[in-house]
Amino acid sequence: MTQMHPELAAWLTRQEADFPSWAEATGTPETWDFSPASLNALEALIRERYADTRAIDAARHSTFVQVASWYVGEIARRVNGAAWHYLPADPAALPGAPGSRQSVWTRTPRVAQGPAVETPRVFPLNALVAILVEPDENDDEETASEWGGPLRDALILEA
C-alpha cells in the first residue's frame, strides 16, 4: 500500500475537522449525510453563494469551498470505493507536466479509482466550479442540461 503524501493527509484532516462547523453554518446540518442525494443541496448552496465561476475561483482557498470540495470527494470515495490522490509540486518538472506549477494535477486533491493519473478520476474542486459554468449559446438544450450535473458526475468515475 502506498503511503499518503503528508500534504494530502494534512488537508484531509483539516477538512474533516472543519466539516461539523461547516455543516452547522449551512443552516441545514442534517442534510450532510454523505449520500449522493445530498449533492443536490450542495449544488443549490453553491449556486446561492457564488454568482459565477470567477466568484468561486476567488474563494477556492476558503474554508467553505475547501470543505465542500472534500465533501464531494468523500461521497465519491464512500460510494465508489475511490481513493484520495495528490501530486506534490516537483521543482524538476517541465512546465505544464504533472508536478509543475502549471499542471492542474499538481497540489490539487482528487479521487480516483486507481493509482495512476490516467485512471478514472474527479477533481472535486473542479466539479464545484463546473456547477457555475454557463452553457455556450451554441449548445442545445440537451447539452446544456448535461452541465447541470457535475456533482453527480463526480460519482461516476468512468473512463
Side-chain angles (χ1 to χ4, degrees):
M1 181 171 192
T2 307
Q3 189 171 15
M4 185 178 292
H5 191 278
E7 288 178 19
L8 176 59
W11 183 83
L12 291 169
T13 299
R14 187 170 49 256
Q15 304 328 307
E16 186 173 11
D18 287 344
F19 175 70
S21 59
W22 178 93
E24 283 293 327
T26 68
T28 57
E30 67 285 352
T31 301
W32 314 111
D33 60 3
F34 296 96
S35 69
S38 68
L39 293 174
N40 293 330
L42 182 58
E43 183 173 332
L45 193 57
I46 294 295
R47 289 182 185 279
E48 176 184 303
R49 194 170 176 116
Y50 301 102
D52 55 28
T53 57
R54 286 185 307 254
I56 195 168
D57 194 48
R60 74 181 316 124
H61 298 293
S62 70
T63 298
F64 181 85
V65 172
Q66 290 295 300
V67 172
S69 180
W70 170 82
Y71 185 79
V72 171
E74 277 298 295
I75 293 175
R77 186 184 70 77
R78 294 172 188 205
V79 169
N80 288 332
W84 283 101
H85 293 268
Y86 184 81
L87 181 64
D90 178 1
L94 295 174
S100 71
R101 289 180 3 164
Q102 301 86 1
S103 172
V104 297
W105 299 105
T106 305
R107 300 187 77 203
T108 302
R110 64 183 171 96
V111 287
Q113 289 298 101
V117 167
E118 296 81 15
T119 62
R121 75 275 178 198
V122 66
F123 288 90
L125 179 60
N126 292 355
L128 294 176
V129 172
I131 291 169
L132 301 171
V133 171
E134 292 295 327
D136 180 293
E137 65 184 35
N138 297 320
D139 288 339
D140 60 23
E141 191 172 315
E142 182 178 322
T143 303
S145 71
E146 291 173 12
W147 282 106
L151 295 184
R152 286 173 298 287
D153 292 347
L155 299 179
I156 297 170
L157 290 174
E158 291 180 336

